[in-house]
Every structure is written in structure tokens, then in C-alpha cells.
Amino acid sequence: MLTIDAWLRQNGASFRHELEILAREYFGISKATFICGSDRLITYNLENYLSDALVKLKKGTPLAYLLGYKEFWSLEFQVNRNVLVPRPETELIIEKSIELANPGDRVLELGTGSGAIAIALAKERPDLTITATDISIEALEVARGNALKHECEIALQHADWFESIGDKWNLILSNPPYIAESDPYLSSLKMEPRVALVSGPTGFEALKVIIENAHNHLQSQGHLVIEHGIGQAQVIKKKLARHNFTKITSHKDLANINRIVTAQWISPEYG
């Protein structure tokens, strides 16, 4: 029989890192403990578990779906194929939201998915009143479970962007689907929910809906925070300017890529 290390070397190929993580999860042990014991013989059950995982990884299944969770903002979130896997670059939304939100502000997140953004913000700013929406009932169930896990009092609402959304908000956040239907990058994301990735042919469809309607749902001096794709920042900024937003600013992620735009809405009647 092979040792665990030998099996990983023979079968892991480009997925060795992911398989090691799954093996550690299988045993419930730390990385250091796993390394020290990787010369043990691989068991029949572990070999089957890793072989099945390898097949799924080769088909494009994200590691987070196999683990059942993903870390975001140093918090662990339940994920499955009903929600997008939270990405590190999206943490920039949290950073800017913390900066922009005043004590006691009302916050609306559009397209919450796993609830990672709303929950992370609630943990950092428990003074805020946060409502998070999604068009997917299944996604809202995942978000509800994560909110319970992290003991966050956020309101969850089934909605298609601003449809059925009343009241006005001090801060509106969104990481909407912004990938074009023809983008070849989609082939590497085929296991994640398409509704969370694509909203139409150009990649601007959801962004357009949000930009064109946000001012109707913002309090005067309220802010909008939107994540977007590579190369979309300038178009978004022009659209925001046409809808009378001010203080329109691009912000780069850790890879030095324009990742989010923030803007402020000031009502013509203000003052």
C-alpha cells in the first residue's frame, strides 16, 4: 500500500494543495500534524474520499463546496452550489462600508448570496441596521444559516434588485453579477450559480439597474458601494455621474485592480 504522501504525489498533480486540505479536514487535524503523519499508509476510506474529491476538482468544483465552508473577513461561512464562493477582493466592500457608514445608519445589500458581506459588516458595526436581499430563495436559506451561526441580527428579504424594496437607506451595497455571457472566464466558474455571475450579454445589465434606481432608495447624502469587473470602472463612473451622483471614486484591490466604486447621492432638495 501507498503512504498518504506517496498517494498525493502520484495522484494529486495540480490539485495536491486542495487534496491536502481535504485530507486534513477528513482527520480534523492541523497542517503540522498532518505533515508529521503523512508517511502513514493511506486507508481504503481516505483513498476513496480523496479520489472522489479529485474527480470533482478536475470538473471545476471549488474546494469551498467540497469543504462546505469558506473563510471571508476572518469568519467562516457555509457555502454550497446555491451561492457564489466569497472572494478575498470583495472584502474591500466591507472596508469602504465601515468608512462611509455613520452610527445607526440603515444599510441595504442587494444580492447577498451566502450573506458574507452583510454579516461581516454587522460583526464590525453592530450599530447598523442591515437588510440583505437576494432573488434566490436557496441563497437566502444559506444566508439565514450563516446569520444564525454568527449571531447577527440582519433582515433577509426575497427581492429582485429594488423590486418590492421600500423606504430609503443611508448605504446601499452590492456585488452584482457583472461577467459578460461571452467571457471565456466563465468556463472556470461553471459549478457556481450562473445567476450570481451573469445578468445579460454585456455584463452591465445588473449594474445598470442598480445605478439607475439607487438614488430613489437613498437618503440624501447616502452612499452607494458597487463591486465590478476588470475594465468596467470608467463606464460605471460615467453612468453614476449622469444620474447626478457625486464623490465618485474607484478603489483598487490588493492586486492593484480597480474593484469597487463608491459614490454619494445628494438630493436636489437638500439644503
Side-chain angles (χ1 to χ4, degrees), residues 11-54:
N11 299 279
S14 57
F15 294 105
R16 172 156 182 161
H17 174 69
E18 290 85 350
L19 291 170
E20 284 188 359
I21 292 173
L22 288 165
R24 297 203 307 268
E25 188 76 9
Y26 179 88
F27 289 117
I29 58 178
S30 68
K31 182 176 181 178
T33 302
F34 174 78
I35 291 172
C36 291
S38 64
D39 58 347
R40 289 185 295 177
L41 294 178
I42 190 167
T43 65
Y44 175 79
N45 287 340
L46 177 58
E47 184 174 5
N48 281 346
Y49 172 71
L50 294 179
S51 295
D52 181 62
L54 182 57

Side-chain angles (χ1 to χ4, degrees), residues 21 28 37 41 69 81 84-85 106 109 117 127 129 140 166 182 185 206 212 230 232 235 241 250 266:
I21 292 173
L41 294 178
Y69 66 86
R81 290 189 64 174
L84 200 67
V85 177
R106 300 181 72 245
E109 186 201 358
I117 292 173
D127 60 293
T129 300
L140 287 172
S182 59
Y185 181 58
E212 290 182 351
I230 295 173
Q232 294 178 326
V235 174
S250 285
I266 298 181

Side-chain angles (χ1 to χ4, degrees), residues 64-135:
Y65 288 168
L66 298 180
L67 292 170
Y69 66 86
K70 176 68 175 179
E71 185 178 292
F72 177 84
W73 199 258
S74 298
L75 300 170
E76 189 177 284
F77 291 93
Q78 173 197 349
V79 293
N80 58 34
R81 290 189 64 174
N82 294 312
V83 298
L84 200 67
V85 177
R87 268 65 171 180
E89 56 267 26
T90 298
E91 293 185 352
L92 189 56
I93 292 180
I94 313 298
E95 294 175 18
K96 295 304 170 184
S97 298
I98 291 170
E99 293 176 11
L100 294 171
N102 293 311
D105 273 357
R106 300 181 72 245
V107 180
L108 174 67
E109 186 201 358
L110 301 170
T112 193
S114 66
I117 292 173
I119 292 167
L121 183 59
K123 297 295 285 186
E124 293 292 334
R125 293 288 303 274
D127 60 293
L128 301 176
T129 300
I130 302 174
T131 294
T133 73
D134 206 286
I135 193 172

Side-chain angles (χ1 to χ4, degrees), residues 66-235:
L66 298 180
L67 292 170
Y69 66 86
K70 176 68 175 179
E71 185 178 292
F72 177 84
W73 199 258
S74 298
L75 300 170
E76 189 177 284
F77 291 93
Q78 173 197 349
V79 293
N80 58 34
R81 290 189 64 174
N82 294 312
V83 298
L84 200 67
V85 177
R87 268 65 171 180
E89 56 267 26
T90 298
E91 293 185 352
L92 189 56
I93 292 180
I94 313 298
E95 294 175 18
K96 295 304 170 184
S97 298
I98 291 170
E99 293 176 11
L100 294 171
N102 293 311
D105 273 357
R106 300 181 72 245
V107 180
L108 174 67
E109 186 201 358
L110 301 170
T112 193
S114 66
I117 292 173
I119 292 167
L121 183 59
K123 297 295 285 186
E124 293 292 334
R125 293 288 303 274
D127 60 293
L128 301 176
T129 300
I130 302 174
T131 294
T133 73
D134 206 286
I135 193 172
S136 167
I137 295 292
E138 294 80 9
L140 287 172
E141 285 303 309
V142 176
R144 185 169 289 108
N146 282 321
L148 287 171
K149 174 181 178 178
H150 292 292
E151 301 180 331
C152 284
E153 293 186 10
I154 62 172
L156 293 167
Q157 183 173 337
H158 183 232
D160 184 2
W161 303 124
F162 289 107
E163 186 179 290
S164 75
I165 298 296
D167 301 326
K168 289 185 180 286
W169 310 80
N170 305 105
L171 182 61
I172 296 176
L173 321 172
S174 189
N175 175 20
Y178 50 70
I179 302 177
E181 286 181 347
S182 59
D183 193 323
Y185 181 58
L186 280 173
S187 63
S188 66
L189 304 171
K190 57 188 175 183
M191 296 297 179
E192 297 186 69
R194 191 172 177 85
V195 69
L197 298 166
V198 177
S199 60
T202 69
F204 279 97
E205 286 75 12
L207 291 163
K208 182 173 182 287
V209 170
I210 294 169
I211 292 168
E212 290 182 351
N213 292 277
H215 67 278
N216 294 320
H217 299 272
L218 278 169
Q219 296 280 5
S220 186
Q221 301 189 78
H223 290 87
L224 178 64
V225 182
I226 310 176
E227 181 171 328
H228 58 79
I230 295 173
Q232 294 178 326
Q234 292 307 311
V235 174

